[in-house]
Amino acid sequence: MTTSRQLVQEALEKARNCSAELNAFAAIEDRAVDRAAESDRRYARGLVRRLEGIPIVVKDNIETADIETRYGSAAYIGNVPITDATVVRRLRDAGAIVLGKTTTHEFGWGVTTSSDKFGPTLNPADPRRIPGGSSGGSAVAVACGVVPAGIGTDTGGSVRIPAALCGVVGFKPTFGILPTDGVFPLAPALDHVGLICGNAEDLVPLTRALGMDISRSDDKPKRKIGVLATPTDVPVEHDIAADFERAVERLRREHSVVDLTERLDEAYAILATLVLVEAGMVHFSRNSSSLISERYGKETAARLERSRSVSIDDYAKAQDARRMFSLRMASLFEQVELLILPTCPCSAPLVGTERVDIDGWTGDVRKALMAHTAPVNLVGYPAVTIPMPRMKDAPPAGLQLIGRPGRDHEVIGAAAQLQSLS
């Protein structure tokens, strides 16, 4: 029988290899072995908690007591919080063991998990490619089998994008269900804590340990699912579109599938404005302009400089547009229980890619990867990505399921059901 100590020791060795080969870790916690020994003592005494002895990883923008938390930024090297974020405390209280901190795009503001200071994190399916972001390190650690689960954040797709590009499961709950205290904010009106794991069924014990109500059964044999095959002005890469259609055809045999023509084109621009304004407010309230220009990465500093030119009127208009968009999304869910669409319109771009070309459309890598995930953050609905069945040797891609607000159990149940069929 494998002990918790043995499990954690093996995981630490894998973490070191994953860090060396793919740059997935910002910090590795060797003291995890001592906590594993405590778990073994609890097993011996019959005091086992829900996640007893299970190693997990935590994104580097989420605070962990006594473990360096840099928020992905050189400006915070050496920062060691004295308390855990609430979500970390809840997982520890359930017996989970924090194995280390995983790499993130600086302050969670990007989709590539690349850093001027710390270098790029690489995709385990193809190290020439990005893992997605900003929770890239957590997705890589799970995809490499270092840990069964990791915790990340999702403001415009930052859990779901890397999960999809690395071939694992990523879940963003309904906005506000999981507390964000102890998480470095990007855009407080949009920030979510999320989970990454290998199997959708594992979301049940993880979310319960975090205090979510996933006790209700959701084993419906037949669901009403709306299909958004072309959700936005960013076209879907041909091979992903073909695999998505094959997945939908399989759904049609067992579920009531409704083809929808609704377009969500405006969501990305609305979200980008809101993030720019709120990020500016966060950072300029915490740090001086000189510190930002001297110690932040060039990309982040440039974005914050742009935020100076966005007015409160621009922000108000974006919030009004968000309200109108929310009404349109709500109307879709008057017709269906769930929406399904490709998580990202394309597979993982090469490291260093700034512009993406998809069937004649050309745009920046952020819009390309966030086009299908950003709409969900605007409305705060629960969403999950599961691996899309691909043709042989195709890079990973994801199927995104979106549910009604507060119906997180439906999204998790559907994800587990659909993943088991693939």
Side-chain angles (χ1 to χ4, degrees):
M1 177 180 175
T2 302
T3 65
S4 295
R5 185 183 179 91
Q6 290 170 330
L7 184 66
V8 167
Q9 285 175 327
E10 291 172 6
L12 284 169
E13 184 62 29
K14 290 178 182 178
R16 295 184 190 101
N17 292 336
C18 185
S19 184
E21 296 172 7
L22 301 173
N23 191 31
F25 281 83
I28 293 175
E29 173 62 329
D30 290 323
R31 289 171 295 181
V33 174
D34 297 330
R35 295 188 171 94
E38 172 59 25
S39 285
D40 286 332
R41 288 191 288 270
R42 292 183 71 95
Y43 271 105
R45 293 156 54 196
L47 300 174
V48 179
R49 296 165 291 182
R50 192 184 297 274
L51 301 179
E52 194 67 63
I54 302 298
I56 62 165
V57 291
V58 176
K59 185 178 178 179
D60 191 36
N61 65 338
I62 302 174
E63 294 181 349
T64 43
D66 300 327
I67 307 175
E68 184 184 35
T69 302
R70 306 183 303 208
Y71 314 119
S73 177
Y76 285 89
I77 290 175
N79 174 60
V80 180
I82 60 173
T83 58
D84 286 327
T86 296
V87 288
V88 175
R89 176 179 52 77
R90 288 179 181 178
L91 291 174
R92 288 198 204 259
D93 287 348
I97 297 172
V98 176
L99 198 75
K101 305 303 290 292
T102 47
T103 49
T104 173
H105 211 100
E106 189 173 35
F107 301 113
W109 200 357
V111 297
T112 62
T113 313
S114 296
S115 166
D116 296 339
K117 175 68 175 179
F118 307 119
T121 299
L122 309 177
N123 192 312
D126 181 352
R128 299 172 303 164
R129 300 181 182 275
I130 65 168
S134 60
S135 306
S138 292
V140 172
V142 172
C144 288
V146 176
V147 289
I151 190 167
T153 60
D154 192 310
T155 301
S158 287
V159 159
R160 289 159 290 149
I161 292 167
L165 299 188
C166 292
V168 293
V169 173
F171 172 63
K172 181 200 78 63
T174 299
F175 180 75
I177 282 185
L178 293 181
T180 56
D181 59 297
V183 177
F184 196 106
L186 174 54
L190 300 164
D191 293 343
H192 301 64
V193 172
L195 291 162
I196 295 174
C197 57
N199 194 307
E201 291 184 350
D202 291 339
L203 291 172
V204 175
L206 288 165
T207 50
R208 287 177 178 170
L210 284 166
M212 292 179 60
D213 179 15
I214 308 295
S215 58
R216 289 166 287 180
S217 174
D218 189 52
D219 54 357
K220 290 184 179 180
K222 189 171 184 177
R223 304 173 189 275
K224 193 168 186 181
I225 302 173
V227 174
L228 290 174
T230 311
T232 72
D233 57 329
V234 180
V236 179
E237 195 174 88
H238 179 268
D239 290 347
I240 290 178
D243 287 339
F244 177 73
E245 184 54 38
R246 277 189 283 272
V248 170
E249 286 306 311
R250 184 164 186 173
L251 287 179
R252 292 185 197 278
R253 300 176 203 149
E254 301 179 28
H255 302 277
S256 175
V257 174
V258 180
D259 293 301
L260 300 171
T261 58
E262 191 79 12
R263 293 281 292 267
L264 312 175
D265 293 351
E266 72 270 38
Y268 175 79
I270 298 170
L271 183 134
T273 298
L274 296 176
V275 170
L276 194 62
V277 175
E278 295 194 9
M281 294 172 66
V282 166
H283 287 276
F284 289 123
S285 70
R286 291 180 179 227
N287 291 313
S288 67
S289 297
S290 59
L291 185 149
I292 288 170
S293 63
E294 293 169 8
R295 299 184 62 189
Y296 280 25
K298 293 178 181 178
E299 181 185 56
T300 308
R303 288 174 179 164
L304 289 171
E305 189 60 31
R306 287 202 305 274
S307 75
R308 294 175 182 269
S309 64
V310 185
S311 70
I312 192 66
D313 186 54
D314 295 327
Y315 184 73
K317 288 177 179 177
Q319 287 287 16
D320 284 340
R322 179 188 188 182
R323 293 181 187 97
M324 295 301 295
F325 179 80
S326 297
L327 291 174
R328 289 209 299 118
M329 282 289 284
S331 70
L332 289 178
F333 281 90
E334 292 175 359
Q335 307 171 56
V336 297
E337 300 171 49
L338 298 164
L339 292 177
I340 189 169
L341 61 160
T343 307
C344 296
C346 60
S347 53
L350 295 171
V351 171
T353 297
E354 295 183 358
R355 306 283 292 177
V356 174
D357 189 306
I358 309 172
D359 295 337
W361 176 91
T362 301
D364 69 77
V365 67
R366 287 183 73 224
K367 181 171 181 180
L369 294 180
M370 290 172 61
H372 294 181
T373 57
V376 196
N377 291 81
L378 279 185
V379 295
Y381 291 6
V384 64
T385 179
I386 60 175
M388 181 188 295
R390 303 297 322 266
M391 297 298 285
K392 186 178 180 181
D393 298 327
L399 290 170
Q400 182 178 204
L401 293 166
I402 305 169
R404 295 170 288 188
R407 311 288 289 183
D408 299 67
H409 64 287
E410 292 181 349
V411 173
I412 291 173
Q417 184 183 32
L418 298 186
Q419 190 179 15
S420 70
L421 295 174
S422 62

